[in-house]
Amino acid sequence: MIRVLVVDDQDLVRAGLRTLLENDPEITVVGEAADGRAALFQVRELCPDIVLMDIRMPGMDGLAATAAIRADESLAGSRVLILTTFDDDEDIVQAIALGAAGYLLKDTSSDELRRAVHTAAAGGNLLSPSIARRVMERLARAPKPPVPDPRLAALTERELAVLARIGSGATNDEIAAALHISPATARTYVSRILFKLGARDRTALAVIAHRSGLDIID
């Protein structure tokens, strides 16, 4: 059973999220909080698997609460999944830098949200496709010269091609279509690259791709 803490300053939103999440028999909402400070207290008391966190809240906001949770080693078992109406670039980048397991917008479908909770609980990281592309575009605009990562020497030519597409924000299905392979094979390549590079998640791979100046070569 995946234990979730819902954090949002609007009562109706929290109630709606509780109902939506608990339609999945493998998810239970163990608590609610209306601001970051209350969320931090609840995380320490309840030890949820997932903290579904809004950003803009009175008092301590969601980003500050995320930073506090990630900084406390005793709370390492609780992963933060940002769910917000705001798609501000600074918020997105800061949330990722603080260690959020994902960043989703509130127009995410019910099924996608439940899948995101399962993915985060299993140790995965995720961004909605539109958010992922914006993060990659922002990184691409950063005025830093490419610095080849020595770990890339361990990758095959095909793995480098997959990594370059991850850097562009492509999904597994898009990678599969571009390289004429099956989605299952694309997922295998992504898993293999994560292992070879010792990367934590797909977002970390995208950062490596951009910092190394990997370009898509058709």
Side-chain angles (χ1 to χ4, degrees):
M1 184 68 71
I2 301 172
R3 305 172 73 252
V4 178
L5 172 68
V6 175
V7 185
D8 195 288
D9 62 335
Q10 297 185 39
D11 293 346
L12 288 176
V13 172
R14 294 199 306 275
L17 288 172
R18 176 185 284 273
T19 300
L20 182 157
L21 292 170
E22 291 189 335
N23 280 335
D24 186 322
E26 297 181 3
I27 297 175
T28 182
V29 175
V30 296
E32 300 178 12
D35 58 55
R37 195 170 302 282
L40 191 55
F41 175 80
Q42 292 275 48
V43 173
R44 288 172 175 153
E45 288 291 309
L46 301 171
C47 298
D49 301 303
I50 300 296
V51 182
L52 196 59
M53 183 83 75
D54 191 15
I55 286 184
R56 307 286 173 84
M57 295 180 290
M60 178 185 284
D61 67 16
L63 293 176
T66 297
I69 292 168
R70 297 295 296 163
D72 189 334
E73 292 183 1
S74 69
L75 305 180
S78 296
R79 310 196 75 211
V80 178
L81 187 58
I82 300 293
L83 179 67
T84 182
T85 56
F86 301 98
D87 60 354
D88 180 78
D89 284 0
E90 290 298 330
D91 287 343
I92 296 165
V93 171
Q94 189 175 354
I96 294 169
L98 290 172
Y103 195 109
L104 301 172
L105 299 179
K106 285 182 178 176
D107 61 3
T108 298
S109 72
S110 301
D111 287 342
E112 288 173 342
L113 178 57
R114 286 188 287 263
R115 281 196 296 270
V117 169
H118 279 276
T119 297
N125 293 65
L126 68 159
L127 299 172
S128 60
S130 62
I131 296 297
R133 284 185 169 85
R134 287 174 56 183
V135 170
M136 296 311 108
E137 289 168 1
R138 182 186 175 97
L139 288 171
R141 293 195 301 268
K144 294 181 179 179
V147 179
D149 191 313
R151 293 174 294 177
L152 298 186
L155 301 185
T156 66
E157 184 175 343
R158 178 52 64 93
E159 288 166 349
L160 287 170
V162 171
L163 180 59
R165 282 171 169 80
I166 292 172
S168 74
T171 65
N172 286 340
D173 287 345
E174 289 168 341
I175 292 171
L179 298 181
H180 308 291
I181 57 179
S182 70
T185 299
R187 287 193 295 272
T188 298
Y189 274 119
V190 173
S191 296
R192 193 180 299 162
I193 296 167
L194 284 167
F195 175 76
K196 285 186 175 183
L197 299 186
R200 182 183 62 185
D201 52 54
R202 195 182 188 95
T203 302
L205 290 182
V207 172
I208 291 171
H210 277 278
R211 287 179 176 171
S212 299
L214 282 184
D215 293 320
I216 293 175
I217 299 176
D218 294 317

